[in-house]
Amino acid sequence: MSMPPKAEAARARALLSAAAREGRGRLARPILLGIASIACGIAQVWLIARVLAALLGHGFSLEDGLGGDAGWADLAGAAALALLATGLTVAQERAQAAAGAEARARLRDRAFAALLAAGP
């Protein structure tokens, strides 16, 4: 026999809530990788802004407390940060895919166990 629609929805909601609680720990790695990638992007934009300001004649000086004129070192730093941010983004996407695959497998196992418990 089938359960009433509200009861089925409540049972499905409980199953998904339990799965979400179990998966929270696995989401820490993708979140931290995303935050690191964003931090690299912010630092990269700051270095590019320094280079552009120097090219436009508005270079930073020692009086500004920012450590001299922008130059090749800032440009190289921005390029290195771009590569690092790309690597972090790829690692984040892989971690997200792995966490999603694991969550789907757990839900599939639970659903199959519930089907077996229900009987023919």
Side-chain angles (χ1 to χ4, degrees), residues 51-60:
V51 170
L52 288 175
L55 287 173
L56 295 174
H58 302 288
F60 297 106

Side-chain angles (χ1 to χ4, degrees), residues 43-84:
Q44 178 188 7
V45 168
W46 184 76
L47 288 173
I48 291 172
R50 283 179 47 95
V51 170
L52 288 175
L55 287 173
L56 295 174
H58 302 288
F60 297 106
S61 64
L62 290 173
E63 295 87 41
D64 295 334
L66 298 173
D69 293 333
W72 289 107
D74 288 338
L75 192 59
L81 285 171
L83 291 174
L84 180 61

Side-chain angles (χ1 to χ4, degrees), residues 26-27 30 93-109:
R26 291 172 187 83
L27 293 178
E93 289 176 2
R94 287 184 179 174
Q96 287 172 338
E102 189 174 334
R104 283 190 307 274
R106 262 185 287 125
L107 279 173
R108 221 178 282 121
D109 290 343

Side-chain angles (χ1 to χ4, degrees), residues 2-29:
S2 179
M3 295 168 40
K6 286 185 180 182
E8 287 179 5
R11 189 169 177 195
R13 196 174 310 116
L15 176 69
L16 291 174
S17 294
R21 279 191 300 277
E22 288 177 4
R24 282 188 187 144
R26 291 172 187 83
L27 293 178
R29 184 172 181 218

